[in-house]
C-alpha cells in the first residue's frame, strides 16, 4: 500500500498551471447519455437469473417485543417462498461513517414501523401480499414516550461557552430573544432504498444504493458476522442520497440473509412508505436564539440553544448551532443542546445536518436584530464578521462571506429593498430577504488509482456519484493532470473491490476523493517527467503531448505499457491550524398573497465561495438543488408523527410535500466567486452540496417578513399560519 | 394471465400475475428498467410512459388492462449514441443530477409538448379554449407531476425549452 499523504501544509496550486484547461469547465456529465436513455442501472434494475422478491414487514406497535410470527398465516398464499426473521436484522440504518453494524435489537421493537421480518416470494406481488397479511403477535409495552417536547429522558450536551454572558447582555442597547421550531424532515431521495443480494460461493455480492462503500462494506459484514473481504458492494448509480443512504440498512441486511438462506438472489426494494418509516429522519428542533448588540450593531452576545430528539442508542445529534459558532463574533458566546429520547423513527443525517435547520433560526433572528436596530441586514452581517474562529481561535482559511454578501446585494438589487409591507402588486405583497450561508469543509481519508496507457487514462475508486457529478469531476481532474481530452479518461466508481474512498457525504466527497485522484495523477506526472528528462515543475502535458526542458514527446511514445499509481490522502496539520468552510449569501424575492397567505418564490440568488470550482455546471446544479431544499424547508416540508404512537403519518409523497416544478421559479441564479482554499486540500477546492441549503430557508422567511411584516417562527410557513398572522395584524 | 401489447414498436407477450402493474410488467417482465418506480402510488411521476401517445403513470394501471395497447418507454425515444432532442438537451442543460426521475421527466415532457400543441389547457392557461404559449409558468405547471428531489427544476425546464425550439 502506498504511503498516505497528510495535508500538513498548503500545496502548490498546480491546477492553475496545468495546460489542458478542462478543470472547472462546465463539462457535461459523461454518464449523462446513459441516464437520459434509461441505460444507467440502479440497484433495483438488476434482475439476476432466479431472482426472488422480498417485502419488509413493519412493526405496528411502538415499543415491546415480538411474541411470535405466525408463518402459517400466509403459508398457503401462492408464490410465497419464505418468511425470514433473523436476530441479525437491523433496527435502522447505520449512521454515517459508523463502520460497524447498527443496533440489532433481536425481538425488541423500539419504534412504530421498525422492519421486523421479510416475506420472500416468487413474484413481487406475492411477496407484497404476504407481507401485508402476515400475522405478528406482540407483547406491547404501554406508555412509550413519543413526544420530544415532554419526553422525560433527556441528555444535555456539554455547553460551548466563552466570555462573561451576564456582563455582555447587561451592556446591550438592543437584544433579541426568540424561539423557532422546525418540524422533522426526510431526505426522500427519488430512488427508494433497494438491494439485490447474491452469494457467489461464500462471497456476498450486493448491488445496493449506498453513499459510502468503504464504510458500508464493514457495516454489512459486521451485521452478518462475516469477513469484510467476503463482501463486494456495487453502487455505480444511486438515485439520490442526501444522507439517507450513508449507512447500511434493513433492505441490504435482510436481502443478504434471505439470499443466503434460500440459495438464490433476492431483491428487496423498500416501498415509499417504508422509506418514511424506517430510514433516518432529520430531527424536529426547538431553538432559542439570543443576540445582544450595542447601538451601532456590534454583537456583544450570541446564544443558540436547541432541543432535538433521537431514539435511544443512537449517538447522532443534529449539530444545530454548528454555523452559529463561527459566522459572527461577540464578547460572550453560549451554545447548548438537549437531546430528548423518544420512540420515533430514529434521527440521522439529512442534507447539511445542523446548518439546514440551525441557520433558519439563527439567520432569521439576525434579521430580527437588524429590524430592532433599524439597520440594513447586509450591513449588520458585514459588521460582525470575526477575525478568528470565535470558539477555537483558529485562523480562517479562504473566507468569502463579506464578498458574497456585497456581490449578491449588488447583483440582486438589494438597495431597492423597501420597508416591510410597502411593496404591493395587486393582491400580492412583495419582499426581499437575505441570509448568510456557511457549511464547514472537511477532508476525509480517501484513496484512488489512476492508470495511464497509450489509449488514455482510467480512474478507479469506490467513491460514489449520487448525482453530485463525481464521474465528470474525476474525469476532469485526471484529464487536467495528465494532459488528455476528457473523452480519453474513463471513470470507474461504486465498487468496493476498488481503492476505498471517502464516500459521498458531508459535501466532502469531490474534494477528498478527488484529491486522491489528483495525487495519483501527480505521481504519474513525476514518472513522465523522469522519462522525458525534465523536472516535474517543468513538465507541461497537453492533448497527449509531453513537453519540458526543450524536449517533446507523445505520451504514447513515452509509455511502454501502463503506468499505474495509487494515492491516499487524509487530513493533517492544516485542519488544526485553519478552519475551512464554504461561505456564501442567499437572496430571495417572494410574493405573499394578502388573502390566501400563499407564498410564491419569485427569484433567488446564491453567491458562494467554495474554493476552486471543479465543474461549474455540476457545482451550480448542486447549489441550486440546495437552495430549492431551502424553499422546501421554509414553506412545505413537515414530517408529522401520530402523537399517540409516534408513527409517521405523512409517509408518502402526497402527504409529505417536496418542492415541485410549480414551486420553483426559473430565475434561480448562482455565482461562484474566484477563490482558492490553500489549507483545504491540494486542489484548493471545497464542498458545495450542502452550502446551498445552509441559510436559504432563512432568506425566504426574511423575505416574507419584508413583504408583509409577519414573522413566522414555527415552520413551515404554510398559508394557514400566514393568514392567521395577517389577520391578527389588522385587528 | 396473458396480455399482448406493443412496446417501443415491438409486439410483446406477457405472462403475468393479475396484480402486476404496467410498471412492474415493463421493468421486471420485459427488463425495460429505464422506467423507474419512485412511489408506486402516482405521486412522483418517475414511472411516466406514453400509452397510445398520451403520458400516464405506469404504476397506476394494471398490465391486464392493456391488451393491444401501444406503449413507449424511455428506451423507445433514443439511445446513448442517438439521443432524442429532449434527451440531449437534458445532458446539455444538466437537467438532472442523480438521474432517477429523469426518464419520467423526459417522457412526461414528450407527452406534455404534444398536449400543448393540441391546445390542451392547464390550470395556469389564460384561456380554456385558445391554447397557450409555451411559457415557463405553463411548463412548470404541466410538469409538476414529476418530482425531482435533486431539484434540477430550472434546468429541466431550460432543457424542455431548448428541445422545443430545436424542433
Ligand atoms: S412510481 Fe408511479 S408516480 Fe411514482
Ligand atoms: S435527478 Fe435526482 S431526482 Fe431528479
Amino acid at each position: 500500500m502506498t504511503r498516505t499523504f497528510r495535508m500538513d501544509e498548503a500545496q502548490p496550486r498546480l491546477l492553475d498551471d496545468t495546460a489542458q484547461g478542462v478543470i472547472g469547465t462546465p463539462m457535461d456529465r459523461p454518464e449523462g447519455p446513459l441516464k437520459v436513455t434509461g441505460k444507467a442501472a440502479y440497484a433495483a434494475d438488476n434482475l439476476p437469473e432466479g431472482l426472488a422478491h422480498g417485502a419488509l414487514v413493519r412493526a405496528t406497535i411502538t415499543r415491546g417485543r415480538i411474541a411470535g410470527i405466525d408463518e402459517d398465516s400466509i403459508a398457503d398464499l401462492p408464490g410465497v417462498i419464505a418468511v425470514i426473521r433473523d436476530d441479525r436484522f437491523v433496527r435502522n440504518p447505520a449512521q454515517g461513517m459508523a463502520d460497524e453494524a447498527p443496533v440489532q435489537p433481536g425481538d425488541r421493537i423500539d419504534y412504530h414501523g421498525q422492519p421486523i421480518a421479510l416475506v420472500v416470494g416468487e413474484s413481487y406481488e406475492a411477496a407484497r401480499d404476504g407481507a401485508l397479511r402476515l400475522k405478528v403477535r406482540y407483547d406491547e409495552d404501554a406508555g412509550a414516550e413519543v413526544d420530544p417536547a415532554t419526553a422525560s429522558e433527556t441528555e444535555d450536551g456539554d455547553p460551548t461557552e466563552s466570555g462573561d454572558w451576564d456582563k455582555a447582555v447587561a451592556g446591550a442597547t438592543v437584544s433579541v430573544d426568540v424561539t423557532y421550531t422546525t418540524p422533522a424532515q426526510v431526505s426522500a431521495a427519488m430512488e427508494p432504498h433497494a438491494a439485490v443480494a447474491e452469494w457467489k460461493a461464500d462471497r456476498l455480492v450486493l448491488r445496493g444504493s449506498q453513499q459510502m462503500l468503504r464504510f458500508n462494506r464493514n457495516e454489512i459484514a459486521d451485521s452478518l458476522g462475516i469477513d469484510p473481504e467476503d463482501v463486494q458492494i456495487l453502487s455505480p448509480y444511486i438515485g439520490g442520497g442526501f444522507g439517507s443512504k450513508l449507512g447500511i440498512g434493513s433492505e441490504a441486511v435482510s436481502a443478504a440473509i434471505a439470499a443466503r438462506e434460500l440459495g438464490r438472489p433476492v431483491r428487496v426494494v423498500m416501498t415509499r412508505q417504508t422509506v418514511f418509516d424506517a430510514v433516518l429522519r432529520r430531527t424536529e428542533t426547538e431553538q432559542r436564539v439570543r443576540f445582544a448588540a450595542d447601538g451601532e450593531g456590534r454583537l456583544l452576545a450570541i446564544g443558540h440553544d436547541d432541543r432535538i430528539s433521537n431514539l435511544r442508542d443512537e449517538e447522532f445529534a443534529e449539530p444545530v448551532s454548528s454555523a452559529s459558532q463561527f459566522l459572527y463574533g461577540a464578547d460572550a458566546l453560549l451554545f447548548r443542546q438537549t437531546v430528548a429520547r423518544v420512540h420515533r423513527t430514529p434521527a440521522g443525517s439529512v442534507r447539511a445536518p445542523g446548518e439546514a435547520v440551525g441557520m433558519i433560526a439563527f439567520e432569521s433572528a439576525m434579521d430580527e436584530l437588524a429590524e430592532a436596530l433599524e439597520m440594513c441586514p447586509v450591513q449588520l452581517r458585514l459588521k460582525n464578521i470575526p477575525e478568528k474562529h470565535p470558539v477555537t481561535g483558529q485562523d480562517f482559511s479562504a473566507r468569502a462571506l463579506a464578498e458574497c454578501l456585497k456581490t449578491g446585494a449588488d447583483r440582486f438589487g438589494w438597495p431597492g429593498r423597501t420597508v416591510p409591507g410597502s411593496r404591493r402588486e395587486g393582491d400580492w405583497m412583495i419582499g426581499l430577504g437575505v441570509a448568510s450561508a456557511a457549511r464547514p469543509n472537511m477532508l476525509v481519508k480517501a484513496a484512488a488509482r489512476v492508470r495511464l496507457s497509450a489509449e488514455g487514462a482510467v480512474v478507479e475508486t469506490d467513491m460514489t456519484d449520487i448525482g453530485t457529478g463525481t464521474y465528470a469531476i474525476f474525469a476532469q481532474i485526471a484529464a487536467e493532470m495528465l494532459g488528455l481530452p476528457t473523452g480519453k479518461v474513463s471513470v470507474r466508481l461504486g465498487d468496493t473491490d476498488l481503492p476505498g474512498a471517502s464516500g459521498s457525504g458531508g459535501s466532502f466527497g469531490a474534494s477528498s476523493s478527488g484529491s486522491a485522484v489528483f495525487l495519483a495523477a501527480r505521481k504519474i506526472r513525476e514518472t513522465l517527467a523522469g522519462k522525458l528528462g525534465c523536472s516535474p515543475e517543468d513538465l507541461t502535458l497537453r492533448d497527449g503531448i509531453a513537453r519540458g526542458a526543450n524536449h517533446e514527446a507523445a505520451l504514447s511514445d513515452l509509455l511502454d505499457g501502463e503506468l499505474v499509481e495509487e494515492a491516499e490522502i487524509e487530513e493533517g496539520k492544516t485542519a488544526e491550524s485553519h478552519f475551512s468552510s464554504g461561505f456564501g449569501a442567499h437572496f430571495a424575492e417572494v410574493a405573499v398573497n394578502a388573502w390566501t397567505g400563499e407564498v410564491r418564490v419569485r427569484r433567488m440568488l446564491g453567491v458562494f465561495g467554495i474554493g476552486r470550482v471543479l465543474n461549474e455546471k455540476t457545482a451550480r446544479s448542486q447549489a441550486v438543488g440546495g437552495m430549492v431544499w431551502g424553499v422546501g424547508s421554509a414553506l412545505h416540508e413537515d414530517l408529522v408523527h401520530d402523537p399517540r404512537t409516534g408513527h409517521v403519518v405523512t409517509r408518502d409523497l402526497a402527504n409529505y410535500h417536496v418542492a415541485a416544478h410549480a414551486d420553483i421559479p426559473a430565475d434561480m441564479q448562482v455565482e461562484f466567486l474566484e477563490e482558492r482554499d490553500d489549507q483545504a486540500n491540494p486542489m484548493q477546492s471545497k464542498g458545495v452540496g450542502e452550502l446551498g441549503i445552509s441559510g436559504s430557508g432563512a432568506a425566504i422567511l426574511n423575505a416574507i417578513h419584508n413583504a408583509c411584516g409577519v414573522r413566522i417562527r414555527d415552520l413551515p410557513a404554510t398559508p394557514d399560519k400566514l393568514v392567521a398572522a395577517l389577520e391578527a395584524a389588522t385587528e | 394471465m396473458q396480455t399482448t401489447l406493443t412496446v417501443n414498436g415491438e409486439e410483446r407477450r406477457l405472462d403475468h400475475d393479475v396484480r402486476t402493474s404496467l410498471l412492474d410488467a415493463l421493468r421486471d417482465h420485459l427488463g425495460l428498467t429505464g422506467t423507474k418506480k419512485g412511489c408506486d402510488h402516482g405521486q412522483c411521476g418517475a414511472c411516466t410512459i406514453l400509452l397510445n401517445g398520451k403520458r400516464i403513470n405506469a404504476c397506476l394501471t394494471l398490465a391486464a388492462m392493456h391488451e393491444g395497447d401501444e406503449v413507449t418507454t424511455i428506451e423507445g425515444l433514443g439511445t446513448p449514441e442517438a439521443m432524442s432532442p429532449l434527451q440531449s438537451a437534458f445532458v446539455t442543460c444538466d437537467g438532472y443530477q442523480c438521474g432517477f426521475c429523469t426518464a419520467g421527466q423526459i417522457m412526461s415532457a414528450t407527452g406534455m409538448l404534444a398536449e400543448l400543441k393540441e391546445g390542451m389547457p392547464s390550470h395556469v392557461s389564460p384561456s380554456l379554449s385558445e391554447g397557450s404559449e409555451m411559457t415557463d409558468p405553463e411548463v412548470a405547471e404541466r410538469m409538476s407531476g414529476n418530482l425531482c428531489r435533486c431539484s434540477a427544476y430550472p434546468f429541466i425546464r431550460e432543457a424542455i425549452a431548448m428541445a422545443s425550439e430545436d424542433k
Side-chain angles (χ1 to χ4, degrees), chain A residues 588-606:
Chain A
E589 177 178 320
V590 306
V592 181
N593 189 288
W595 311 112
T596 66
E598 184 188 356
V599 177
R600 303 290 307 164
V601 177
R602 291 180 151 199
R603 61 187 180 111
M604 288 182 84
L605 166 67

Side-chain angles (χ1 to χ4, degrees), chain B residues 37-40 42-45 47 57 59:
Chain B
K37 186 192 283 189
C39 71
D40 224 7
Q43 300 166 346
C44 75
C47 64
N57 290 333
C59 69

Side-chain angles (χ1 to χ4, degrees), chain B residues 2-167:
Chain B
Q2 297 197 329
T3 302
T4 303
L5 69 177
T6 305
V7 182
N8 299 331
E10 232 180 273
E11 191 174 286
R12 306 294 295 259
R13 178 192 287 269
L14 291 168
D15 195 356
H16 63 93
D17 193 305
V18 288
R19 299 165 293 187
T20 303
S21 70
L22 181 56
L23 173 60
D24 288 328
L26 292 169
R27 286 180 50 78
D28 293 355
H29 293 244
L30 299 179
L32 294 168
T33 54
T35 309
K36 302 300 186 217
K37 186 192 283 189
C39 71
D40 224 7
H41 279 56
Q43 300 166 346
C44 75
C47 64
T48 308
I49 55 152
L50 298 183
L51 178 74
N52 302 323
K54 299 250 180 293
R55 55 178 174 159
I56 63 154
N57 290 333
C59 69
L60 286 186
T61 186
L62 295 170
M65 297 161 71
H66 297 289
E67 179 70 30
D69 279 343
E70 252 181 64
V71 167
T72 308
T73 68
I74 191 73
E75 290 91 345
L77 277 200
T79 61
E81 297 71 35
M83 294 183 274
S84 79
L86 256 174
Q87 287 172 321
S88 69
F90 266 65
V91 176
T92 308
C93 300
D94 218 35
Y96 53 62
Q97 290 181 44
C98 74
F100 199 79
C101 74
T102 310
Q105 301 278 358
I106 292 174
M107 296 313 294
S108 186
T110 305
M112 184 272 298
L113 289 172
E115 290 162 17
L116 202 56
K117 210 159 161 195
E118 283 164 20
M120 196 186 282
S122 85
H123 171 66
V124 299
S125 302
S127 142
L128 287 184
S129 53
E130 281 160 35
S132 57
E133 299 286 314
M134 206 188 94
T135 61
D136 185 71
E138 269 294 349
V139 176
E141 171 64 25
R142 288 165 191 261
M143 289 298 293
S144 277
N146 290 85
L147 298 177
C148 174
R149 187 55 159 165
C150 295
S151 306
Y153 297 125
F155 312 121
I156 292 171
R157 302 210 296 272
E158 197 181 313
I160 293 171
M162 176 186 280
S164 68
E165 277 161 25
D166 276 3
K167 272 182 190 161

